Amino acid sequence: MPRQSLPRRATLRPGGARAAAPRHERPPQQRGGYCAPPAPPRPPARGAARPRPCPAAGSAPSPLGGGAARAFLSLPAWPGGAMAAPRAGRQPQNDGYRTLSLSGHVGFGSLPDQLVKKSINQGFCFNILCIGETGSGKTTLINSLFNSNFDDPVSTHFLPSVRLKAQTYKLQESNVLLNLTIVNTVGFGDQINKGDSYQPIVDYIDAQFEAYLQEELKIKRSLFSYHDTRIHVCLYFISPTGHSLKTLDLLTMKSLDSKVNIIPIIGKADSISKTELQKFKNKIMSELISNGVQIYQFPTDDETVSKINTIMNGHLPFAVVGSTEEVKIGNKMVRARQYPWGIVQVENENHCDFVKLREMLICTNMEDLREQTHARHYELYRRCRLEEMGFRDIGPENKPVSLQETYEAKRHEFYLELQRKEEEMRHQFVQRVKEKEAMLKEAEQQIQTKFEHHMLMHQEAKLNLEKKKKVLEDEIAMFIEKKANAKLLQSQASVSTPVSSKRDKDRKNSSFM
Amino acid sequence: MEPSAMPEEEMPPSVAPSPAGCQLFGYVGIEAVLDQMKIKTMKTGFEFNIMVVGQSGLGKSTMVNTLFKSKVSRKASQPSQEERIPKTVQLQSVTHVIEEKGVKMKLTVTDTPGFGDQINNENCWDPIIKYINEQYERYLREEILITRKRKIPDTRVHGCVYFIPPTGHWLRPLDLEFMRRLSKIVNVVPVIAKADTLTLEERAEFKQQIQADLKTHAISVYPQEDFDQDPDDRVLNDRIREKIPFAVVGADQEHQVNGKRVLGRKTKWGIIEVENPAHCEFPLLRDLLIRSHLQDLKDITHNVHYESYRVRRLNESNRPALSPLNGLPGKAEGSSDL
């Protein structure tokens, strides 16, 4: 039956890749869920002229056993407080809905295409975190995976602590736009004391979840245009020692497995021989299982991909080789590493698992990785965080509490707290003012006393001076009196002897000459 | 540890085939994500909720049956009930599951018997507005739970088809009031019902009159002009907007025309074929609602109407409908300083 699907451009696919085409020509099978067993061939009596035959849902009675009209009828009466009831009473999705058969072509078979068209317009986001020691081949592998040369200078070994470096690229293939973010750990495993190596990574992942949570909790939010930075997959590079996992690896993976999808990878796998490789892989997987590390399992519940995914699950961890150089083999240029003893081809399935990794990561499970990140890891983070903040779903009397009410209660609490603090501060302020006032008063007092003291002294001095003045005046008075007396005596004496006085005068005058 | 600055390359948002950004030197397989997405959505299925509003006797149930080519309306589900005009506007939802080409859709049709049928029709839109807001409320509650479901059941009304009686003059006050209020909270698609009573010229005139009325009253019906995302969309939607409201005829009986069996109404003067674009605009309505813009309807409901409801709801602090649930102290003193 002709199937509506997006036109696939003819693109060059490297030889070893498993062609994805057969997957799409497989007819969609009925799955459990809503409706009836697979459609019988349409009876020709009905509208034979319809150009597009379509499989109507089975006209057999629905598996729910309701031949009679058991359509789900809901009369939404909505009293104020009965919010809790509908959730509990809502039928599980497989039950209670009658399946109908279509008598003609309606046309909503193009719904997935509409959805896909919308997603193309919006673009996809994919964020990869690469963890591995310096020199384990992370950058080269990413370059090989995405067939481009992301400029990344080689980092040194002498960094004091682990840092994360994120870079975003926009890739486009046919009409799909991908916002790819690669986060590299710089300096992982280089320190002498590696105790804190994984903490910055955990913090980074949590920070991305937190940013998304904050955006989701905002009142005016714009989720559909939000640039999603949550890490969708973590590629963990294991050093190809050939023995077993290092303690640092185990520790890091254990702390990350509930936050992100981990895919373990053996980097620079061309240093291990084939037999050693299989033993190494088995050892790694058994160590992971025995330590309870939950790595990402490719999903096996969808028939179209379950077979290939199950096979791939058995090949974990992938042993990859990356290369940015091309070597001529036959008459093609392929990515390869040239050694004196031979050439390791990156895209040859016999040489390494690179093709498997690319297939699993990009072609088959990208969407599932994104969904798991959102539905499982993010939800877990959100739940823990909201519980930390004090929100609950069930209140103290086991009645469902709405987030709204908890917000209210918290806001009320906060407001009271604020008021109390304000009171305290005011009280303190008043106290200080009083103290200052007291001090100033005291100072004023002191000055006052000094002033009075000075006034007193001034008075005394003044009195003294007055006294002295009086004495002096008395003396002057006496002196004047004496002088007056003397003058009187003199004038009396001159009257009695006037000639002698004249002769005296002349004598005096001549003596002067 | 903060990551150092991300060098992002500027790129125009259009999806032109010329590669911008990083150069890909070969095939990577990114486009396979589209197929993955399709498979995933086909597995989970779709939900679509539509509401039909209009006076009784305008052919709403027939129209819905014709749209989905099966007996989805409530009349078909309750054949024994007597049809009486209810005293108040009631809302009745019927849910069915239909499948085509492997795509499963859970379709809910909400009918509103009693709308516009009373003598005094004041506030007859209130139960409808209340219902729509209740669906938003339900979704909001599910969304803000701590442990929430993986797939929140979506009962929000994605589209409301409003049936205008074919008077041929202009919109009645009831129509204007209703559309004005509802176009703010839900996507409204107006249609002229029973359009076989209008000739083509009358139809064109009626449409122009309606478009002028809508413009005068600033009522924005679907497809809304504000939400056109890029120029291609705008061109497409402009073409649709010229034709709004669609003049439709519904029929659920088949007749023989020119050797083919078609859905239509048989009258003494001819057979009106429902799916013939020359006779009525039913194909346009069906294409708009189902084949091309169904996802768009859902997206606008989710991104625009639901978000504005959420903003309104989270901004008000004292709502009497909430308080008796948990015995919290009265919030009279809590001033909303949000």
Side-chain angles (χ1 to χ4, degrees):
Chain A
M1 115 199 72
R3 200 198 131 113
Q4 289 175 340
S5 58
L6 288 180
R8 295 192 73 126
R9 292 238 202 120
T11 45
L12 218 110
R13 303 200 67 150
R18 191 187 136 273
R23 187 167 69 229
H24 302 294
E25 274 138 31
R26 218 178 301 171
Q29 304 178 11
Q30 298 280 15
R31 289 162 205 109
Y34 291 136
C35 74
R42 284 187 71 236
R46 263 189 162 182
R50 296 248 170 263
R52 272 174 287 186
C54 49
S59 44
S62 69
L64 317 162
R70 262 181 76 223
F72 180 88
L73 216 111
S74 71
L75 285 163
W78 202 254
M83 280 291 178
R87 203 164 57 228
R90 196 118 170 99
Q91 313 249 2
Q93 292 183 352
N94 298 346
D95 258 348
Y97 298 135
R98 188 171 73 167
T99 320
L100 282 190
S101 57
L102 299 174
S103 62
H105 174 73
V106 178
F108 61 85
S110 64
L111 257 183
D113 294 322
Q114 291 180 33
L115 187 60
V116 163
K117 190 167 83 110
K118 197 125 244 174
S119 306
I120 291 180
N121 283 342
Q122 282 178 342
F124 293 93
C125 261
F126 197 55
N127 308 320
I128 304 183
L129 169 68
C130 294
I131 306 184
E133 301 184 3
T134 318
S136 49
K138 305 188 285 282
T139 314
T140 319
L141 181 69
I142 297 291
N143 283 348
S144 315
L145 258 182
F146 291 101
N147 257 329
S148 37
N149 274 327
F150 300 133
D151 280 323
D152 211 10
V154 179
S155 59
T156 83
H157 283 263
F158 295 101
L159 293 160
S161 64
V162 178
R163 276 187 316 120
L164 285 105
K165 203 156 57 119
Q167 279 175 309
T168 309
Y169 308 97
K170 289 200 206 298
L171 303 179
Q172 183 159 23
E173 191 177 73
S174 56
N175 52 357
V176 179
L177 181 66
L178 183 70
N179 274 328
L180 181 71
T181 304
I182 312 273
V183 185
N184 256 318
T185 51
V186 176
F188 188 75
D190 272 342
Q191 292 80 30
I192 296 187
N193 177 6
K194 301 183 206 161
D196 298 329
S197 292
Y198 63 86
Q199 196 56 42
I201 304 175
V202 172
D203 290 341
Y204 179 79
I205 296 179
D206 278 346
Q208 307 315 306
F209 281 148
E210 183 67 28
Y212 192 85
L213 182 66
Q214 290 301 326
E215 180 68 27
E216 202 187 354
L217 287 182
K218 270 195 210 166
I219 296 203
K220 269 208 206 321
R221 62 189 187 182
S222 55
L223 272 181
F224 53 93
S225 56
Y226 178 75
H227 176 59
D228 192 2
T229 50
R230 301 174 292 183
I231 302 289
H232 297 127
V233 69
C234 165
L235 297 177
Y236 195 92
F237 285 74
I238 301 173
S239 308
T241 56
H243 299 310
S244 62
L245 282 177
K246 299 190 187 158
T247 323
L248 176 62
D249 295 340
L250 270 178
L251 212 59
T252 313
M253 281 204 263
K254 193 94 179 77
S255 62
L256 289 178
D257 66 353
S258 60
K259 293 189 185 290
V260 76
N261 304 314
I262 301 184
I263 298 184
I265 291 182
I266 304 174
K268 294 197 172 174
D270 49 344
S271 55
I272 313 184
S273 72
K274 253 209 152 105
T275 40
E276 282 177 3
L277 186 63
Q278 197 49 49
K279 273 202 305 197
F280 188 34
K281 283 192 185 184
N282 293 340
K283 190 84 177 29
I284 292 179
M285 289 308 282
S286 68
E287 279 199 348
L288 287 176
I289 293 176
S290 64
N291 280 294
V293 174
Q294 289 176 341
I295 57 174
Y296 176 72
Q297 297 290 329
F298 302 118
T300 48
D301 47 3
D302 182 14
E303 291 109 20
T304 42
V305 294
S306 73
K307 209 167 20 162
I308 183 73
N309 276 345
T310 334
I311 298 177
M312 292 300 174
N313 273 333
H315 280 276
L316 279 174
F318 293 126
V320 292
V321 177
S323 167
T324 46
E325 288 148 2
E326 301 203 339
V327 173
K328 199 170 171 73
I329 300 209
N331 50 2
K332 282 201 307 180
M333 297 291 285
V334 295
R335 284 179 179 271
R337 288 174 65 75
Q338 183 147 44
Y339 290 110
W341 47 88
I343 301 178
V344 179
Q345 293 161 33
V346 167
E347 284 165 353
N348 187 334
E349 286 206 62
N350 290 333
H351 290 195
C352 73
D353 293 335
F354 174 81
V355 170
K356 295 196 181 80
L357 173 68
R358 182 172 65 191
E359 177 86 15
M360 284 292 106
L361 191 63
I362 303 174
C363 305
T364 318
N365 294 311
M366 194 192 266
E367 191 56 36
D368 186 67
L369 283 165
R370 285 159 45 136
E371 197 192 324
Q372 291 284 351
T373 308
H374 181 71
R376 186 143 50 105
H377 300 293
Y378 171 70
E379 286 294 315
L380 181 65
Y381 175 81
R382 178 178 176 270
R383 194 175 343 148
C384 296
R385 190 85 177 83
L386 288 179
E387 279 175 6
E388 241 178 76
M389 292 208 271
F391 294 111
R392 293 271 178 278
D393 268 346
I394 307 290
E397 296 112 27
N398 266 3
K399 288 204 211 121
V401 178
S402 84
L403 212 59
Q404 171 78 0
E405 280 158 4
T406 329
Y407 272 144
E408 295 284 316
K410 276 205 171 301
R411 198 182 338 147
H412 188 64
E413 238 179 75
F414 185 67
Y415 190 64
L416 286 178
E417 175 80 17
L418 215 63
Q419 270 188 331
R420 193 180 60 79
K421 281 216 174 108
E422 211 179 307
E423 271 306 314
E424 228 182 83
M425 277 178 70
R426 199 173 307 172
H427 189 68
Q428 266 191 358
F429 180 69
V430 165
Q431 193 80 343
R432 280 231 203 103
V433 164
K434 273 206 190 124
E435 279 174 17
K436 226 9 177 307
E437 261 186 34
M439 255 171 54
L440 284 175
K441 243 197 190 108
E442 218 183 284
E444 202 181 323
Q445 286 272 7
Q446 280 186 356
I447 293 180
Q448 189 77 2
T449 44
K450 266 202 192 142
F451 180 67
E452 279 172 8
H453 182 69
H454 279 239
M455 283 293 286
L456 264 172
M457 290 205 7
H458 177 71
Q459 288 284 71
E460 274 179 24
K462 200 165 170 186
L463 274 173
N464 277 348
L465 279 174
E466 292 271 312
K467 273 194 207 152
K468 283 200 178 143
K469 192 172 167 190
K470 187 125 198 251
V471 163
L472 221 58
E473 277 181 3
D474 281 343
E475 281 186 7
I476 291 180
M478 264 180 42
F479 183 70
I480 291 181
E481 215 183 291
K482 266 196 189 162
K483 192 172 165 190
N485 279 347
K487 259 216 170 114
L488 199 59
L489 274 174
Q490 219 178 29
S491 64
Q492 276 182 354
S494 68
V495 158
S496 58
T497 56
V499 177
S500 58
S501 68
K502 193 162 186 274
R503 242 194 278 144
D504 282 351
K505 261 199 208 156
D506 281 334
R507 215 190 304 136
K508 278 187 195 157
N509 287 342
S510 62
S511 64
F512 280 134
M513 275 198 251
Chain B
M1 289 296 145
E2 286 96 50
S4 53
M6 302 197 273
E8 207 163 342
E9 297 164 24
E10 293 304 319
M11 211 202 76
S14 70
V15 245
S18 60
C22 277
Q23 197 72 18
L24 287 179
F25 296 129
Y27 178 75
V28 177
I30 299 178
E31 59 178 7
V33 73
L34 299 177
D35 295 320
Q36 296 171 31
M37 192 180 254
K38 266 210 269 187
I39 293 178
K40 185 180 78 156
T41 50
M42 287 194 14
K43 195 161 72 152
T44 48
F46 293 88
E47 287 172 314
F48 188 57
N49 308 317
I50 191 173
M51 179 188 274
V52 285
V53 185
Q55 283 178 305
S56 62
L58 282 182
K60 305 189 291 289
S61 308
T62 319
M63 171 58 53
V64 171
N65 286 347
T66 321
L67 255 181
F68 291 100
K69 295 255 181 3
S70 50
K71 304 216 179 301
V72 285
S73 71
R74 77 190 149 93
K75 284 197 184 158
S77 325
Q78 322 157 35
S80 57
Q81 245 187 12
E82 279 185 11
E83 288 305 318
R84 278 169 192 259
I85 296 183
K87 290 248 175 356
T88 56
V89 179
Q90 296 180 341
L91 285 107
Q92 292 176 345
S93 299
V94 182
T95 306
H96 295 281
V97 172
I98 45 182
E99 171 169 352
E100 188 178 77
K101 288 210 171 122
V103 177
K104 282 193 263 290
M105 184 151 88
K106 181 158 145 256
L107 173 72
T108 306
V109 178
T110 309
D111 202 349
T112 57
F115 178 83
D117 285 336
Q118 278 80 36
I119 296 198
N120 179 6
N121 281 317
E122 229 160 79
N123 295 335
C124 63
W125 46 79
D126 275 346
I128 299 177
I129 295 185
K130 188 154 154 272
Y131 176 78
I132 294 177
N133 281 339
E134 277 161 8
Q135 306 315 306
Y136 287 145
E137 178 71 26
R138 212 187 251 191
Y139 193 86
L140 181 66
R141 294 233 165 197
E142 287 281 341
E143 198 190 28
I144 61 181
L145 278 183
I146 308 265
T147 31
R148 50 191 187 185
K149 301 192 189 138
R150 194 172 259 236
K151 185 162 182 306
I152 303 179
D154 189 1
T155 52
R156 305 171 288 188
V157 177
H158 297 130
C160 174
V161 183
Y162 185 72
F163 286 75
I164 302 174
T167 57
H169 301 306
W170 43 74
L171 286 175
R172 301 168 302 156
L174 175 64
D175 303 331
L176 283 170
E177 272 302 315
F178 178 84
M179 281 204 273
R180 191 168 60 88
R181 280 154 206 270
L182 255 76
S183 58
K184 296 191 189 125
I185 55 175
V186 76
N187 300 319
V188 174
V189 181
V191 296
I192 302 177
K194 293 203 167 172
D196 48 338
T197 55
L198 296 171
T199 64
L200 288 179
E201 295 85 18
E202 287 169 0
R203 190 196 285 180
E205 211 181 290
F206 191 27
K207 275 199 204 186
Q208 277 195 349
Q209 189 59 42
I210 292 182
Q211 283 174 1
D213 275 344
L214 289 177
K215 199 179 249 172
T216 330
H217 287 83
I219 301 176
S220 65
V221 295
Y222 186 82
Q224 293 99 336
E225 277 178 349
D226 311 321
F227 308 135
D228 282 339
Q229 282 179 331
D230 51 40
D232 298 329
D233 267 356
R234 179 151 310 153
V235 164
L236 191 66
N237 287 345
D238 275 344
R239 249 184 279 149
I240 296 176
R241 276 190 278 266
E242 281 166 28
K243 302 237 178 72
I244 293 261
F246 296 124
V248 295
V249 177
D252 48 7
Q253 288 182 337
E254 291 187 347
H255 303 278
Q256 195 87 8
V257 170
N258 289 345
K260 295 191 299 180
R261 290 194 68 79
V262 292
L263 279 178
R265 286 172 63 75
K266 184 164 177 178
T267 61
K268 289 235 160 60
W269 47 91
I271 295 186
I272 304 160
E273 296 168 43
V274 167
E275 304 214 335
N276 188 338
H279 288 197
C280 80
E281 291 176 341
F282 173 79
L284 288 178
L285 176 70
R286 180 193 52 201
D287 286 346
L288 178 77
L289 275 187
I290 300 177
R291 292 191 189 167
S292 53
H293 285 71
L294 200 150
Q295 188 59 36
D296 193 44
L297 280 167
K298 289 174 63 165
D299 282 342
I300 292 188
T301 309
H302 180 69
N303 292 334
V304 176
H305 297 297
Y306 171 69
E307 288 294 320
S308 59
Y309 175 79
R310 182 174 174 274
V311 167
R312 259 183 293 142
R313 189 78 177 68
L314 292 184
N315 266 335
E316 33 173 86
S317 62
N318 297 331
R319 231 172 93 109
L322 277 191
S323 42
L325 256 193
N326 207 22
L328 279 177
K331 308 184 202 90
E333 71 271 26
S335 54
S336 63
D337 307 335
L338 210 101

